[in-house]
Amino acid sequence: MQKAARGRPAGVTLRARASVLVGIALLALAALLLADALLRGRWDVAVLSLPALGLVACLAVEVFLRPGIRVHHGGITVINPLHTVEVPWSQVAGVTTRFLVSIETVGGGRIRSWGAPSAARSRPTRARSVDSTDADAGGWLRPSSPHRVIESYVAQFGSSALPAVVGAPGAAPRRRWHTTTAGVAGALVLVAVFQLLIGG
């Protein structure tokens, strides 16, 4: 198990590889455009493009790089764009690891993770040959490695596996909004719109 980072329990954080690649590509594009303007000596263009490039970088982090799912001894933390939900094991009624990872709570709610690795199970097409080690008797692909990690944590720490769940009993899921990121993005949008109005 990984060493705990400051302020959060030890565990494993899983993110969709494709989303991470898109986020890195957007950051690289923003940096390339800014560097190009600076190398050409166009300081005016660089300064004017900062709000738009900053907004692209902010969205790349919040939409593609930050989202994911974290499983640890205290529960499951779902990091979605704009908000994070912490669900203690005492509130986890079940976890579905199919196309989207979703958590069913004891209260009947459903929390979907938009940043976790997807397509845990999918039925192969007829034209595609699947290794017998990767498919079960019904022809469904077995869960991917990230989903096996999630399922192993659920089996070890889930409320159905332990008589006494780690953490405060009955603690409700906690939702935290990413207010700082939303505020920065909103300010950058206002600055970009103001530039367009002044320039027009």
Side-chain angles (χ1 to χ4, degrees), residues 15-110:
R15 291 184 171 88
R17 186 176 302 175
S19 294
V20 172
L21 292 177
V22 171
I24 292 174
L26 288 174
L27 289 179
L29 178 62
L32 181 64
L33 292 174
L34 182 60
D36 179 67
L38 293 175
L39 289 175
R40 292 174 182 270
R42 297 298 308 270
W43 295 92
D44 56 335
V45 174
V47 171
L48 289 175
S49 64
L50 276 177
L53 294 179
L55 181 60
V56 170
C58 185
L59 292 177
V61 172
E62 189 64 25
V63 176
F64 295 104
L65 294 176
R66 187 176 187 178
I69 189 166
R70 183 173 179 79
V71 286
H72 48 84
H73 69 274
I76 302 177
T77 301
V78 178
I79 309 165
N80 282 332
L82 298 181
H83 69 272
T84 296
V85 184
E86 297 179 5
V87 187
W89 289 119
S90 60
Q91 294 297 309
V92 177
V95 177
T96 303
T97 56
R98 288 185 180 269
F99 182 70
L100 280 179
V101 176
S102 62
I103 302 167
E104 298 176 15
T105 64
V106 173
R110 184 181 294 271

Side-chain angles (χ1 to χ4, degrees), residues 96-134:
T96 303
T97 56
R98 288 185 180 269
F99 182 70
L100 280 179
V101 176
S102 62
I103 302 167
E104 298 176 15
T105 64
V106 173
R110 184 181 294 271
I111 301 168
R112 293 178 175 85
S113 174
W114 299 100
S118 60
R121 296 181 177 90
S122 59
R123 187 176 294 278
T125 60
R126 293 181 182 178
R128 181 182 176 187
S129 62
V130 179
D131 189 347
S132 60
T133 60
D134 295 330

